[in-house]
Amino acid sequence: MDYTEIESNVKKLKAELARGNSFGERITLVAATKTQSVSAIEAAISAGVDAVAENKVQEFREKSGFIGGCPQHFIGHLQTNKVKYLVGKIALFHSCDRDELASALSSASLKKGVVSDVLIQVNIGKEETKGGYLPERAYDAFKRLSETPGLCVKGFMAMLPESQDEGLLGGLADDMRALYEKARKENPDVCFLSMGMSGDYRLCIAHGSNMIRVGSTIFGARDYGAGSR
Ligand SMILES: *Cc1c(COP(=O)(O)O)cnc(C)c1O
């Protein structure tokens, strides 16, 4: 896809998001940049995405030094031994999905003298293939992580299961919103519910998401073919 197309996709999305979510909140647009070149990412930044996000540490390390003028987020599963490459450089970790990772992020942050902003990832559909705290454990995790030095809990992240059943998906998204509201009463730092990708962001913002992570709607279908790894 050429760069003018990327820019026009971002502008269209931003116009659509300008209405806000179902609670009248501003929606933060995060571009999911896996497999994309630095120039493609720059096109998205100049068109006005709020943040860019990789989901693999290797890709982040290859590209991050060339990307400026935009907060960089991390949205993928993270091994504890790779935390050191990210802490201090990542403006928001979306995928804090287990206590072991929270402790690793905490110690690396304390060591570097920074506070890392994190979202607690919730496995809302209880899928074996996905990471995250089980929904019934998520509030306790929120309480624990809110007290963890070196971390600032900014909210929650979830990926809805693949399903055509909008009633089911809407219900799960509502459960996430309820968890977010409960946490926000407890901790005023909580301000993000990161939920929604290209296939389901409209449903998610209709059910209270205020941060979406969008890849293919901005950049076109991903090419995982020869050369990209
Ligand atoms: C790739 C990715 C997205 C965006 O996916 P699209 O369907 O291309 O919009 C969102 N969240 C995570 C965690 C991802 O890895």
Side-chain angles (χ1 to χ4, degrees), residues 32 34 55 75-76 157 159 196-199 213-217 222:
K34 56 177 166 277
N55 70 329
I75 56 178
M157 184 272 241
M159 281 183 266
M197 326 200 325
S198 293
R213 311 174 307 272
V214 178
S216 42
T217 297
R222 275 183 290 278

Side-chain angles (χ1 to χ4, degrees), residues 57 60-61 81-87 89 112:
V57 175
F60 172 79
R61 294 183 71 196
N81 62 345
K82 296 198 173 151
V83 157
K84 56 178 181 281
Y85 301 120
L86 303 183
V87 165
K89 299 178 181 165
K112 291 204 175 157

